[in-house]
């Protein structure tokens, strides 16, 4: 390390070293009325048959003030407005099935459906610079990661970004997304400006920050009672999620203070010797810990005490089929441009994405597989999205046909366009934190961020951090898109760490309530086998999980799903915040109470099967599940078709054994099994395989056929073992439609 160099000089030297369908508007709504001194213009732009854009714009010297861009929209324009209103005369506008009535003094927009039922009412109050809207009498969801949970009603949210805004210990970081979902049949994305939500009263209010310009106000309103449509419309507005690499859905092991080269390689070796599945090893930076992968916080110079020969060590980790992800921060409080903007050494500026990304490229060339961009709380919205985009587009400069991976702590609406993973920040190791992370996960997913997770076990250890808490959190983590262990006393984050007596370097300073776990907890032989059980289950479920990820990239549906998404007519399901659906078929009910012997689980309408025992239950009621330390309640809905692969040590491992397809009878069902190479963008050009599985419950027949537009992949025929109850059949699918009779 060269302390007499500035970081700017180091980075500069590294750069040098790096080489719809829409009904037409009715009446006279498209007419522009020009009073003598108009103050505002209201523009209405149809987005789809369910969604319209409402813009309240100031008029200065006869000119309409434009709407600033922050980068969150999937496109900047949806064409010309169908209505521009400046008069005091009300207008009726029809968009799809919505009927809009717009009046002035104050500006009021009443939205009804085709049955004349009020869906929403917006009122702009110029004096208070606020936009009021109806809340309704059912939960209001969304608003991003963190903050008061689950139903957002009753709270006031300043929509501030970062870790120091609301109950960090239990609720984690705040990534505010101004997207509100009314489960009564509406949703609103508040594009401009960025302000406060006051949901404490009978009506909601959006408050524009003062002092400052009150206008323009620009919102997108979705009118639909169908949750699937609402999520699809959000994806239409802010963009479809991109597909991450398959390996990022495997287990990721994070490290903190590192002792030496041998420790780094031995951890990898131990995973393989113990046959504990793992796909990625993540290394923290020095400065965040005494001895990390680099020489100093934010630097790209390797720590020679730990990585004396980084290229050789990376090669060795790759030979063991691990992906390597280093931690990195940006010290600038602004970031602009794109990686495609050339960086001039004579005017090097780290705040330019083109310059900052170039500092990464020598490590990409060396073999780094992904990045962990930490911090960034001071970044404004545009800068956050520039950073998300940078870690998606930057790696493709040198690896144009390889899907990048980046784990962020900050982002905004639209970050899903860059396959950005998000974790919930520096939470504490407490039971209350574990309990709180479930509704946080649900609101994050409903806010369009599909790839989310927590620091398994909690980042800051406390006296509550026991083997039991770790295992319950590990079970929950196995059913989060991001499956990663990380935290202080980092050796207790290893699946075998609770039976060695060594918690790792003690790092409990600077955190109120932090403590080293009791030494009596450090010799517990139960932990590793239970971790193995859930690691192996996660990897067996990868065919199902990867298919859900693909579904979400097309539909905007999250992976972790609030029950409301599939049971909007069931009030108990709509209000449920302590369990969730994993895709559409699996119900997950994490155990979040210390010493629990049972877990109450609400089963929505229909029949459900206990995943562990096969016992059938009728839904629309609560059941009590007996739980021991290695059991987290899982239920499968009737009609589900659940593909299970073989246990793998890493996602890319080739195992020549048939796929298991389990059918849960009691209802018709269908599942699209999606496959591609897991790494490239070739699926965009038709290099993917979709196997449509359709179950006819009355006939007890499973039909297997290739989805139009897809093709059989190079591996060729697909052997399967199809099971229902105690009946199983072996079948080989070669692309020709086949029916499997399971009636007897």
């Amino acid at each position: 390390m060269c302390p007499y160099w500035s970081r700017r000089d180091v980075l500069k030297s590294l750069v040098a070293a790096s080489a719809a369908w829409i009904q037409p508007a009715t009446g006279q709504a498209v007419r522009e009325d020009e009073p003598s001194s108009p103050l505002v213009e209201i523009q209405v732009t149809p987005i789809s048959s369910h969604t319209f854009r409402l813009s309240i714009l100031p008029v200065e010297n006869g000119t309409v003030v434009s709407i600033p861009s922050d980068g969150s929209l999937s496109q900047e324009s949806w064409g010309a407005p169908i209505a521009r209103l400046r008069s005091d005369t009300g207008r009726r506008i029809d968009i799809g099935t919505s009927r809009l009535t717009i009046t002035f003094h104050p500006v009021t927009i009443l939205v009804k459906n085709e049955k004349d039922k009020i869906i929403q009412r917006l009122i702009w109050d110029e004096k208070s610079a606020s936009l009021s809207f109806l809340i309704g009498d059912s939960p209001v969801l969304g608003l991003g990661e963190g903050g008061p949970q689950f139903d957002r009603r009753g709270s006031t949210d300043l929509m501030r970004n970062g870790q120091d805004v609301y109950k960090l210990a239990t609720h984690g970081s705040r990534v505010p997304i101004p997207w509100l979902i009314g489960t009564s049949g509406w949703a609103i994305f508040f594009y401009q400006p960025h302000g406060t939500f006051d949901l404490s009263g009978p009506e909601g209010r959006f408050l524009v920050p003062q002092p400052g310009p009150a206008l323009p106000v620009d919102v997108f309103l979705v009118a639909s009672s169908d949750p699937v449509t609402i999520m699809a419309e959000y994806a239409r507005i802010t963009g479809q999620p991109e597909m991450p690499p398959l390996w990022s859905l495997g287990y990721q092991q994070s490290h903190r203070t590192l002792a030496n080269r041998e420790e780094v390689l031995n951890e990898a070796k131990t995973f393989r010797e113990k046959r504990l599945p793992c796909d990625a090893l993540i290394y923290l930076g020095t400065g965040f810990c005494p001895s990390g992968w680099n020489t100093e916080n934010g630097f790209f110079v390797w720590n020679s005490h730990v990585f004396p020969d980084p290229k050789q060590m990376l090669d060795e980790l790759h030979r063991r089929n691990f992906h390597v992800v280093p931690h990195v921060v940006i010290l600038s409080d602004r970031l602009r441009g794109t990686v495609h903007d050339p960086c001039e050494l004579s005017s090097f500026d780290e705040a330019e994405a083109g310059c900052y990304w170039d500092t990464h490229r020598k490590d990409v060339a060396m073999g780094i597989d992904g990045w962990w961009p930490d911090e960034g709380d001071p970044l404004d919205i545009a800068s956050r999205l520039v950073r998300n985009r940078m870690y998606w587009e930057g790696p493709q400069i040198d690896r144009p046909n390889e899907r990048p991976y980046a784990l962020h702590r900050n982002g905004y609406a639209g970050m899903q366009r860059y396959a950005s993973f998000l974790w919930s920040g520096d939470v504490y190791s407490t039971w209350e934190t574990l309990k709180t992370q479930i509704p946080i996960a649900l609101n994050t997913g409903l806010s369009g961020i599909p790839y989310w997770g927590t620091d398994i076990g909690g980042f800051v250890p406390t006296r509550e951090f026991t083997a039991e808490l770790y295992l319950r959190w590990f079970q929950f983590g196995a059913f989060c898109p991001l499956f990663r262990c990380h935290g202080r006393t980092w050796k207790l984050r290893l699946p075998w760490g609770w039976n060695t007596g060594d918690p790792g370097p003690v790092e409990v300073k600077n955190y109120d309530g932090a403590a080293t776990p009791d030494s009596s907890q450090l010799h517990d032989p139960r932990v590793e086998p239970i971790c193995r059980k859930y690691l192996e289950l996660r990897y067996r479920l990868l065919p199902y999980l990867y298919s859900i990820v693909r579904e979400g990239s097309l539909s905007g549906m999250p992976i972790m799903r609030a029950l409301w998404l599939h049971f909007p007519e069931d009030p108990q399901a709509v209000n449920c915040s302590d369990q969730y659906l994993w895709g559409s078929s699996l119900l997950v009910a994490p155990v979040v109470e210390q010493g629990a012997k049972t877990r109450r689980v609400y089963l929505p309408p229909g029949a459900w099967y206990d995943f562990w025992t096969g016992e059938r239950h009728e839904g629309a009621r609560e059941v009590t599940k007996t739980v021991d330390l290695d059991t987290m309640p899982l239920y499968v809905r009737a009609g589900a078709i659940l593909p299970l692969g073989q246990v793998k040590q890493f996602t890319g491992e080739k195992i020549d054994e048939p796929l298991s397809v389990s059918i849960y009878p009691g209802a018709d069902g269908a599942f699209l099994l999606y496959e591609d190479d897991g790494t490239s963008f070739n699926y965009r050009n038709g290099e993917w395989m979709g196997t449509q599985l359709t179950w006819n419950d009355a006939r007890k027949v499973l039909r297997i056929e290739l989805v139009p537009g897809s093709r059989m992949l190079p591996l060729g025929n697909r052997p399967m073992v199809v099971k229902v109850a105690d009946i199983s059949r072996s079948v080989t699918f070669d692309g020709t439609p086949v029916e499997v009779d399971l009636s007897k």
Side-chain angles (χ1 to χ4, degrees):
M1 184 171 67
C2 302
Y4 50 88
W5 277 33
S6 70
R7 184 173 189 269
R8 175 187 175 90
D9 291 334
V10 172
L11 294 180
K12 185 173 180 178
S13 68
L14 291 176
V15 172
S18 299
W21 172 83
I22 302 170
Q23 287 188 4
T26 61
Q28 302 298 315
V30 296
R31 190 186 74 192
E32 294 190 21
D33 296 311
E34 296 285 355
S36 57
S37 300
L39 298 177
V40 299
E41 176 173 286
I42 299 175
Q43 296 183 359
V44 179
T45 305
I47 307 300
S48 74
S49 59
H50 302 282
T51 303
F52 65 88
R53 183 178 193 175
L54 174 72
S55 307
I56 306 175
L57 309 174
V59 179
E60 298 178 358
N61 299 320
T63 301
V64 177
V65 174
S66 61
I67 302 168
S69 172
D70 62 17
S72 61
L73 299 182
S74 62
Q75 58 193 66
E76 292 302 321
S77 173
W78 275 268
I82 61 169
R84 295 186 180 92
L85 307 178
R86 300 187 187 180
S87 74
D88 291 344
T89 305
R91 292 287 184 268
R92 154 94 181 258
I93 304 170
D94 292 356
I95 299 177
T97 58
S98 297
R99 310 287 183 256
L100 280 63
T101 301
I102 302 177
T103 56
F104 291 76
H105 304 304
V107 172
T108 303
I109 300 91
L110 186 66
V111 183
K112 296 183 178 182
N113 63 14
E114 69 277 15
K115 297 180 181 179
D116 208 38
K117 176 184 176 182
I118 295 176
I119 302 300
Q120 190 52 264
R121 184 193 64 208
L122 307 176
I123 300 176
W124 169 248
D125 184 339
E126 184 177 1
K127 292 182 179 179
S128 64
S130 66
L131 183 70
S132 65
F133 51 92
L134 302 178
I135 291 181
D137 56 3
S138 63
V140 174
L141 310 175
L143 285 189
E145 178 191 65
Q149 299 294 323
F150 162 64
D151 183 356
R152 301 291 193 173
R153 292 179 301 170
S155 67
T156 297
D157 197 322
L158 299 178
M159 299 298 281
R160 291 176 180 163
N161 181 73
Q163 291 215 133
D164 299 323
V165 294
Y166 185 85
K167 296 184 179 181
L168 172 62
T170 52
H171 290 62
S173 293
R174 185 77 175 97
V175 176
I177 308 291
W179 164 249
L180 268 184
I181 297 173
T183 54
S184 58
W186 56 269
I188 308 175
F189 179 62
F190 295 76
Y191 176 51
Q192 294 287 355
H194 311 292
T196 294
F197 286 93
D198 181 357
L199 307 179
S200 61
E203 291 190 353
R205 290 205 309 156
F206 174 74
L207 307 171
V208 178
Q210 298 295 312
L215 295 175
V217 169
D218 192 38
V219 300
F220 293 75
L221 191 143
V222 182
S224 176
S225 59
D226 177 22
V228 175
T229 296
I230 287 176
M231 297 308 300
E233 292 301 291
Y234 181 79
R236 184 193 301 273
I237 296 166
T238 64
Q240 304 289 141
E242 277 282 2
M243 290 281 288
L246 176 61
W247 66 262
S248 66
L249 301 173
Y251 178 65
Q252 302 181 34
Q253 181 63 62
S254 188
H255 302 71
R256 288 186 61 84
T257 296
L258 302 169
N260 49 45
R261 182 184 195 273
E262 288 68 31
E263 182 182 65
V264 171
L265 296 179
N266 281 338
E267 296 295 350
K269 181 182 178 183
T270 303
F271 268 102
R272 296 300 180 235
E273 288 178 343
K274 287 179 171 288
R275 296 192 61 75
L276 292 165
C278 182
D279 264 87
L281 302 175
I282 305 177
Y283 298 105
L284 191 66
T286 300
F288 281 73
C289 64
S291 178
W293 76 273
N294 56 2
T295 57
E296 190 174 327
N297 180 19
F299 277 58
F300 292 82
V301 179
W302 289 77
N303 177 2
S304 62
H305 298 293
V306 179
F307 287 89
D309 50 352
K311 179 64 168 66
Q312 288 78 4
M313 292 178 69
L314 290 175
D315 289 345
E316 174 61 24
L317 294 172
H318 288 153
R319 279 193 293 271
R320 294 185 181 274
N321 296 292
F322 290 101
H323 294 82
V324 180
V325 179
H327 169 275
V328 66
V329 299
I330 181 173
L331 300 184
S332 299
D333 60 2
R334 291 289 185 274
L335 193 62
R336 54 186 176 271
T338 75
V339 297
H340 303 295
D341 298 324
C343 178
E344 300 294 337
L345 287 180
S346 60
S347 58
F348 176 85
D349 186 350
E350 186 185 349
E352 292 287 348
C355 290
Y356 185 53
W357 178 254
D358 279 354
T359 63
H360 298 67
R361 292 181 66 186
K362 71 177 184 65
D363 295 312
V364 173
M366 195 183 297
I368 288 299
D369 300 291
W371 297 92
W372 175 14
D374 195 0
E375 294 202 321
D377 290 0
L379 295 172
D380 60 22
I381 287 170
S383 297
R384 281 177 248 155
L385 287 173
V386 167
R387 187 166 74 158
N388 285 190
R389 179 178 179 178
M390 180 181 71
Y391 281 98
W392 176 252
E393 294 183 348
Q396 294 182 59
I397 293 174
D398 298 297
R399 302 176 190 171
N401 198 29
E402 182 176 316
R403 295 177 227 167
Y405 170 76
L407 172 58
H408 294 266
R409 201 180 80 190
N410 278 288
Y412 193 66
M415 64 186 292
Q416 71 275 8
R417 301 198 302 269
Y418 313 118
S420 298
F421 279 70
L422 180 71
W423 96 99
S424 61
D426 297 349
V427 296
Y428 277 51
S429 302
T430 69
W431 288 95
E432 183 63 25
T433 303
L434 173 58
K435 181 180 180 179
T436 304
Q437 293 302 294
I438 300 171
I440 286 172
L442 302 185
N443 269 326
T444 303
L446 290 170
S447 302
I449 303 170
Y451 311 126
W452 179 92
T454 70
D455 288 343
I456 290 176
F459 176 74
V460 180
T462 73
R463 287 295 180 189
E464 293 185 40
F465 191 33
T466 61
E468 181 190 6
L469 177 59
Y470 170 77
L471 283 172
R472 292 306 190 193
W473 212 314
F474 197 93
Q475 293 162 3
F476 170 58
F479 287 87
C480 293
L482 173 68
F483 187 16
R484 180 187 80 138
C485 276
H486 175 68
R488 298 186 173 218
T489 58
W490 76 264
K491 292 196 176 183
L492 295 180
R493 316 305 168 140
L494 297 165
W496 61 87
W498 288 86
N499 199 29
T500 65
D502 180 13
V506 176
E507 302 172 287
V508 295
K509 294 180 180 179
N510 304 322
Y511 285 93
D512 292 338
T516 303
D518 191 279
S519 59
S520 65
Q521 290 285 312
L522 304 183
H523 294 280
D524 193 331
R526 300 173 299 170
V527 176
E528 184 178 330
I530 296 174
C531 287
R532 180 189 306 279
K533 173 180 176 177
Y534 285 88
L535 283 167
E536 292 182 348
L537 178 58
R538 170 67 168 232
Y539 279 72
R540 289 205 68 198
L541 281 167
L542 279 172
Y544 175 77
L545 173 57
Y546 197 53
S547 299
I548 298 169
V549 169
R550 176 56 171 169
E551 175 195 350
S553 74
L554 300 173
S555 68
M557 287 285 279
I559 299 163
M560 303 175 76
R561 300 179 182 177
L563 300 189
W564 164 74
L565 284 166
H566 289 280
F567 300 95
E569 302 301 324
D570 179 9
Q572 192 161 344
V574 173
N575 282 279
C576 188
S577 64
D578 66 346
Q579 57 189 64
Y580 56 94
L581 291 165
W582 182 247
S584 61
S585 298
L586 274 171
L587 188 148
V588 183
V591 178
V592 296
E593 300 293 338
Q594 185 177 12
K597 302 299 182 183
T598 60
R599 169 61 151 100
R600 297 288 293 172
V601 181
Y602 178 70
L603 300 178
W608 296 83
Y609 292 84
D610 187 314
F611 176 82
W612 304 112
T613 68
E615 181 182 1
R616 176 173 168 148
H617 301 269
E618 292 305 316
R621 64 188 182 96
E622 281 193 344
V623 298
T624 299
K625 170 68 176 176
T626 300
V627 294
D628 52 22
L629 190 56
D630 75 346
T631 302
M632 179 178 69
L634 298 172
Y635 291 86
V636 191
R637 66 195 297 185
I641 301 170
L642 190 63
L644 294 171
Q646 302 302 316
V647 174
K648 295 182 176 184
Q649 298 308 301
F650 53 93
T651 55
E653 186 177 13
K654 306 301 180 186
I655 297 179
D656 189 19
E657 293 185 25
L659 182 75
S660 174
V661 178
S662 296
I663 300 168
Y664 293 81
D668 292 340
F671 186 79
L672 196 161
L673 176 63
Y674 176 82
E675 300 174 74
D676 60 27
D677 62 22
T679 60
S680 77
F681 294 100
N682 291 343
Y683 68 91
R684 294 174 175 174
N685 301 318
E687 292 291 329
W688 62 280
M689 180 175 172
T691 305
Q692 183 65 54
L693 306 170
T694 307
W695 171 247
N696 185 305
D697 196 60
R699 296 175 56 214
K700 298 296 185 285
V701 168
L702 179 70
R703 181 174 176 83
I704 308 173
E705 56 192 330
L706 199 63
V707 173
S710 72
R711 64 177 69 180
M712 295 295 291
L713 292 180
L715 290 177
N717 297 344
R718 294 292 190 273
M720 303 179 187
V721 176
V722 182
K723 304 175 182 179
V724 61
D726 58 351
I727 300 173
S728 66
R729 298 281 187 272
S730 295
V731 61
T732 299
F733 179 59
D734 63 3
T736 304
V738 60
E739 290 192 345
V740 183
D741 188 346
L742 293 157
S743 60
K744 58 182 178 180

